[in-house]
Amino acid sequence: MKRIVLLGSTGSIGVKALKVIQSNPEKYRVIALGAGKNIDLLLKQIEAFRPVSVALKDEKLASEMRRRLPKDLRPDILYGQEGFVQLSTLDKADTIISAMTGAAGLLPTFAAIKAGKNIALANKETMVMAGPLVMSEAHKQGVSVIPIDSEHSAILQSLVGHPGEDISRVILTASGGPFRSMPLKEMRSVTPDQALNHPNWKMGPKISIDSATMMNKGLEAIEAKCFFNLRMDQISILIHPQSIVHSMVEYMDGSFIAQLGVHDMIIPISYALSFPHHIQNGLPRLELDEIGILSFEKPDFTRFKCLNLALNAAKTGGSMQTVLNGANEIAVEFFLDGRIGFLDIPDLIEKTIDAHQPYPVDSIEQIIEADTWARNTTRSFLRNEYQQEPVY
Ligand code: MG
């Protein structure tokens, strides 16, 4: 029986993770839930799963939760970063599902590793910001960090049983997002609503915008580098609009091994919890004859500038990866608020990157310093160079 702490329980991954847990009561039990602001949904989850502790984003939300809790339910209610860290290091927990959005996931995840917990990682920003540090700490503590991101789950599934030195490269597949074939001119005026409308996956706002700019694939390339200890020249990206082949590994002899499946996050979530087993999940089966054609093409680096920015930041490494991530989070927030246009996202990130003197990072403190610098610098560009009023 795995005793699980789920961080990010009200997000799209969190909700699916609870489905996986609920369908396997003999294997998994939730002991704590961490959420952001969605009190209504968290209340329902508390009633269904009876966790011993929960945490919310801030004190105000925690007090509201205390007021609204039915009398027969009395979990500990914590809040803020400290609250999430308390959850992720609970004595009784053995596995943490890290599914918070953005840089907020880093400290609770790192604290969990230090406390000897196994990690199922959906929060890719943790790897982008602090990959080498996270992996070396996990190695030191003898804990496993298993990816939930569908591409990295596919790579892991394609790697199991093969010696690492036989890998030639990995190929990350990308759907291309909602603007895969839109001319650059039109991309200038797309709205947040258009960008949030992903053709294949239903996801939260941050990752949906990252998919539309293709920054998501850039972040995933960095994630793959850290997870599987690869050089950047061993990572390729192919656009695959059907999202059926979730990624592949090419071996020294030219063999490709890929993982295919319907595009539903239930599969990678379930695999991260049951690794190395593939267990039943009740999803409809993949019928390849109904899909008919699987197509692949090279990404367009001119229209998707974020992809280049991320790959270059990965080559530089160290603090540059953290700065890329911090600048992107702020730029995405500005775009969602209607304060900058879609193509201002890569421009803002590039300005921040150009202003940064990269340095090697070997502590969490240095990573937080680089992250804070990036956020402040990106905000200062907005204040000075972009319009102050929403553009929509
Ligand atoms: Mg992914």
Side-chain angles (χ1 to χ4, degrees), residues 124 149-151 216-217 220:
K124 68 188 68 170
D149 210 346
S150 62
E151 294 77 2
N216 185 50
K217 212 47 57 178
E220 287 178 353

Side-chain angles (χ1 to χ4, degrees), residues 47-61:
E47 280 169 20
F49 292 91
R50 313 258 158 171
V52 291
S53 303
V54 300
L56 285 131
K57 199 174 176 196
D58 58 41
E59 192 174 2
K60 209 173 139 233
L61 292 160

Side-chain angles (χ1 to χ4, degrees), residues 148-326:
I148 285 182
D149 210 346
S150 62
E151 294 77 2
H152 306 77
S153 177
I155 293 168
L156 177 65
Q157 293 177 58
S158 306
L159 283 175
V160 169
H162 301 276
E165 68 262 30
D166 295 354
I167 303 169
S168 169
R169 61 177 176 141
V170 304
I171 298 106
L172 291 169
T173 53
S175 69
F179 310 134
R180 180 170 58 90
S181 43
M182 183 184 270
L184 193 61
K185 263 213 247 125
E186 286 173 37
M187 281 165 84
R188 195 162 292 285
S189 55
V190 301
T191 64
D193 279 348
Q194 283 173 290
L196 287 169
N197 191 14
H198 194 279
N200 298 349
W201 302 92
K202 183 136 185 43
M203 307 176 288
K206 160 74 167 50
I207 186 170
S208 296
I209 302 303
D210 284 347
S211 296
T213 62
M214 286 201 72
M215 177 57 92
N216 185 50
K217 212 47 57 178
L219 298 179
E220 287 178 353
I222 303 177
E223 195 186 355
K225 173 184 95 160
C226 301
F227 254 122
F228 305 110
N229 198 18
L230 299 165
R231 300 183 312 270
M232 284 311 288
D233 64 3
Q234 289 178 294
I235 301 171
S236 309
I237 294 166
L238 278 181
I239 304 285
H240 167 49
Q242 297 83 12
S243 295
I244 296 297
V245 177
H246 296 304
S247 278
M248 346 179 202
V249 178
E250 183 191 9
Y251 288 93
M252 290 299 180
D253 61 355
S255 293
F256 276 57
I257 298 191
Q259 185 259 348
L260 286 74
V262 293
H263 39 79
D264 193 310
M265 289 305 292
I266 291 276
I267 296 176
I269 293 166
S270 173
Y271 186 68
L273 293 177
S274 64
F275 177 84
H277 295 282
H278 290 87
I279 63 171
Q280 289 275 8
N281 56 32
L283 286 179
R285 294 293 157 142
L286 174 63
E287 301 295 348
L288 280 171
D289 55 323
E290 281 167 23
I291 298 190
I293 290 170
L294 299 177
S295 64
F296 301 89
E297 62 196 68
K298 284 212 169 87
D300 181 346
F301 288 95
T302 357
R303 281 187 305 124
F304 296 99
K305 206 168 140 189
C306 282
L307 202 44
N308 258 336
L309 293 172
L311 298 182
N312 286 333
K315 282 179 201 146
T316 308
S319 59
M320 198 54 105
Q321 293 180 186
T322 312
V323 165
L324 171 92
N325 184 69

